[in-house]
Amino acid sequence: MSKTTQATLALKRAGVAFSVHLYEYHPDAARIGLQAAEAIGAAPERVLKTLMVEVDGKPVCTVIPSDRELSMKKVAAAFGGKHAEMMKPEAAERLTGFHVGGISPFGQKRKVPAAIEEAALAHEEVIINGGQRGVMVELAPADALKALGAKAVSLIA
């Protein structure tokens, strides 16, 4: 398993400080984000999951705590739309260049608008998928926002 991915390269290009955590990925886990949190010994609210969504048919990237659920109504509102739905896994993989379970908001093949759950800003550091199954990056939430050109908004149900 490599510590260098398209996501870590994008963070380096953005001049963002981060550290890498490697763990044994289990594709059969009921909730991959929670499995990752347990594997690296981090609180689930600090481990953020990346969810690709379509708002009025246009792709967006959302990043929320692994122990929470996304509110489609809030996602639609955050991106100025009327309707939001989860992107199909195959479409998410084509758009991002990452495999499901390893989708990172950083270094995606095609840049799309992004938002991070505002509750993440309460933590000194958060942990987000590093672009490969079993690879996580830890960084300050403000640096994640900067690297993504994202906004912090309420996205959780």
Side-chain angles (χ1 to χ4, degrees):
M1 184 177 331
S2 174
K3 286 187 173 188
T4 301
T5 66
Q6 288 303 314
T8 60
L9 292 172
L11 289 171
K12 286 178 185 172
R13 282 192 300 274
V16 170
F18 66 95
S19 59
V20 175
H21 297 276
L22 302 177
Y23 71 98
E24 189 173 332
Y25 171 81
H26 293 288
D28 57 342
R31 295 181 69 184
I32 293 168
L34 294 178
Q35 185 262 320
E38 184 178 334
I40 63 174
E45 62 271 12
R46 284 188 53 234
V47 177
L48 308 182
K49 58 186 174 183
T50 305
L51 301 171
M52 300 304 294
V53 179
E54 291 182 346
V55 174
D56 296 340
K58 295 183 177 140
V60 300
C61 178
T62 63
V63 182
I64 67 169
S66 62
D67 63 344
R68 302 301 300 268
E69 296 297 321
L70 198 59
S71 164
M72 290 301 166
K73 185 176 182 177
K74 288 181 178 180
V75 171
F79 291 98
K82 295 184 189 300
H83 175 75
E85 63 184 348
M86 289 300 295
M87 189 177 290
K88 298 215 178 321
E90 306 78 29
E93 289 183 344
R94 271 194 314 275
L95 179 80
T96 65
F98 299 122
H99 294 292
V100 169
I103 293 179
S104 177
F106 312 110
Q108 293 185 358
K109 190 163 60 170
R110 180 172 157 215
K111 186 167 174 57
V112 299
I116 297 177
E117 167 56 40
E118 63 189 4
L121 299 179
H123 302 288
E124 192 173 311
E125 292 198 321
V126 292
I127 302 165
I128 303 174
N129 198 292
Q132 182 179 324
R133 294 170 178 162
V135 178
M136 304 292 281
V137 292
E138 185 169 1
L139 69 166
D143 287 341
L145 286 168
K146 174 185 152 195
L148 291 172
K151 53 188 171 182
V153 294
S154 177
L155 298 168
I156 53 179

